[in-house]
Amino acid sequence: MTKILMLSVRPDEQAAIKAWQDRHPGVEVTTAAWELRASTVDQTAGFDGLVIQQRYNIEAEVYPKLKALGFKQISARTAGFDVLDLNLAKQNNLVVTNVPAYSPRSVAELALAHTLRLTRNLELFDDRASRQDFRWAGLQAKEIHSLTIGIIGAGRIGGTAARLFHALGAKVIANDLVENPELKDVLTYLPFEEVLKQADVVSLHVDLNESTHNLIDEHALSLMKPTAFLVNECRGPVVDTDALINALENKQLAGAALDTLTGEENFFNFNLEGQALPSQQLVKLRAMPNVVITPHVGFYTNIAVQNMVDISLDSALAVLEGQKPTTQVN
Ligand code: NAD
């Protein structure tokens, strides 16, 4: 019997894990809530395969220990694998796999939801309603099909978002380093600065790399219309948060929706009720009624969670059976 240990498992993943287990009677999947750390690695003894999903970097001493325990792989059930050191994994004969695209639609739909929340002024109406002010004045909305949506990074998620916005009748413009001919029926590629200047909503979907770190900085924000909104569903460091706060405070921008923020590992997916927040940027953004914040939940849908479980377990099993998984990253 092949034994796979799945770590950092949440209760909502159990149904998908059970369904996979039922389809693979020769494999025993054991789940645990703890993360892979130097302090926990000894508890992985006796298992053949390992599936992880965690926020903290794995310490260097973990890799040789896993090798000594007989592991051949580490499978992340996320797209990102920054918590893993690919070189150390390779040096210790550990294949690393990820789940490159668990459901582009899940994140694209949140970009749409955030866009409508901003363009229909729902956050501002909620703010008024919380003070028992039920007036309309000053908050007339714009219909989505009258707007220009600017997609920065029209890859898997950005391309899917472009199709959703196009289907609703919006004009979609985009910037990407690579132009995808399959998207030309729904969007028009333009230079980066042109997208910022023309868009009513700028929706960010780039991967985090050297070229996208602080891509949306003071200069980029200054190019956007004062009536425009910024939506960030990709990675916190793509936006210079202080520059965004300044732009919002100076009314250079109408509002923002953020599913990701620099430093989010210190506050997202924690219950901090009644506590001082560990980020002044978060404090400032939360105080703004035209800012929507969600705790990195773009991925958190029925379909995406099922795919993360299935693809990570399939990848782990492929390595254990001597195959090369298509999801191998090192
Ligand atoms: P992808 O690789 O398919 O697409 C990224 C696109 O960005 C590519 O087309 C690439 O060419 C483009 N790009 C890179 N650098 C650029 C630059 N400087 N200027 C313009 N375009 C540039 O990736 P994806 O699967 O669509 O994921 C996109 C982002 O979404 C990633 O950052 C990922 O971490 C994030 N994500 C967020 C969630 C969430 O829960 N909010 C979930 C999954 C993924």
Side-chain angles (χ1 to χ4, degrees):
M1 176 75 80
T2 303
K3 292 182 170 181
I4 297 179
L5 176 62
M6 206 162 185
L7 298 178
S8 316
V9 173
R10 304 179 310 270
D12 61 81
E13 293 178 296
Q14 291 290 358
I17 295 167
K18 183 173 181 311
W20 190 91
Q21 171 80 84
D22 290 346
R23 296 196 301 276
H24 298 83
V27 183
E28 185 181 284
V29 182
T30 301
T31 62
W34 42 272
E35 293 201 335
L36 182 61
R37 309 297 300 262
S39 56
T40 60
V41 63
D42 290 340
Q43 296 177 56
T44 64
F47 291 95
D48 307 300
L50 203 52
V51 175
I52 65 161
Q53 174 177 21
Q54 63 186 56
R55 69 177 78 211
Y56 293 108
N57 289 345
I58 292 170
E59 301 101 319
E61 60 260 48
V62 170
Y63 300 89
K65 282 198 173 172
L66 288 176
K67 182 185 180 189
L69 287 167
F71 284 99
K72 303 263 179 303
Q73 53 65 242
I74 307 175
S75 295
R77 53 186 192 285
T78 46
F81 40 85
D82 357 352
V83 296
L84 284 151
D85 184 322
L86 296 187
N87 287 330
L88 280 178
K90 196 162 195 171
Q91 283 165 28
N92 289 283
N93 299 329
L94 294 161
V95 170
V96 174
T97 67
N98 74 336
V99 181
Y102 30 84
S103 173
R105 183 75 189 232
S106 64
V107 188
E109 285 190 6
L110 185 66
L112 173 62
H114 274 164
T115 295
L116 290 171
R117 190 153 181 82
L118 291 167
T119 56
R120 293 309 304 248
N121 298 320
L122 298 182
E123 207 71 5
L124 296 170
F125 277 117
D126 280 355
D127 180 56
R128 280 189 185 177
S130 71
R131 290 177 272 108
Q132 300 189 26
D133 176 352
F134 299 110
R135 288 173 300 167
W136 312 336
L139 295 183
Q140 186 188 66
K142 288 180 181 151
E143 296 185 21
I144 190 86
H145 56 98
S146 69
L147 298 178
T148 298
I149 310 293
I151 304 279
I152 306 292
R156 284 174 292 235
I157 295 170
T160 307
R163 290 200 179 283
L164 292 178
F165 287 116
H166 175 77
L168 293 173
K171 177 180 174 189
V172 185
I173 55 177
N175 174 259
D176 198 304
L177 303 177
V178 192
E179 297 194 2
N180 177 358
E182 287 178 14
L183 288 174
K184 292 200 173 167
D185 58 333
V186 296
L187 58 78
T188 306
Y189 284 105
L190 290 175
F192 176 64
E193 297 202 345
E194 246 348 276
V195 174
L196 298 179
K197 283 181 193 163
Q198 292 186 24
D200 297 300
V201 178
V202 172
S203 193
L204 305 174
H205 300 287
V206 291
D207 53 291
L208 183 60
N209 61 50
E210 272 181 23
S211 76
T212 60
H213 195 272
N214 278 347
L215 182 68
I216 304 300
D217 58 6
E218 189 183 343
H219 173 67
L221 291 162
S222 74
L223 298 175
M224 289 176 63
K225 300 182 202 175
T227 52
F229 298 104
L230 181 73
V231 175
N232 185 8
E233 313 290 5
C234 62
R235 297 294 290 270
V238 172
V239 176
D240 176 341
T241 312
D242 286 330
L244 174 64
I245 292 168
N246 280 340
L248 289 164
E249 282 176 349
N250 296 331
K251 309 226 179 306
Q252 287 169 17
L253 204 60
L258 309 167
D259 189 46
T260 170
L261 266 171
T262 297
E264 66 182 49
E265 60 281 4
N266 299 316
F267 40 84
F268 281 176
N269 210 13
F270 289 108
N271 181 359
L272 300 177
E273 207 175 329
Q275 296 177 39
L277 290 178
S279 156
Q280 276 313 301
Q281 292 174 333
L282 180 61
V283 170
K284 284 185 183 169
L285 289 166
R286 284 190 73 246
M288 297 184 192
N290 53 345
V291 174
V292 184
I293 298 173
T294 49
H296 206 136
V297 291
F299 81 99
Y300 196 43
T301 65
N302 54 347
I303 309 286
V305 169
Q306 172 89 48
N307 286 341
M308 291 163 98
V309 165
D310 285 353
I311 296 168
S312 61
L313 282 168
D314 287 348
S315 303
L317 189 58
V319 179
L320 298 180
E321 290 179 340
Q323 298 155 20
K324 184 175 162 50
T326 52
T327 52
Q328 184 167 340
V329 291
N330 70 337

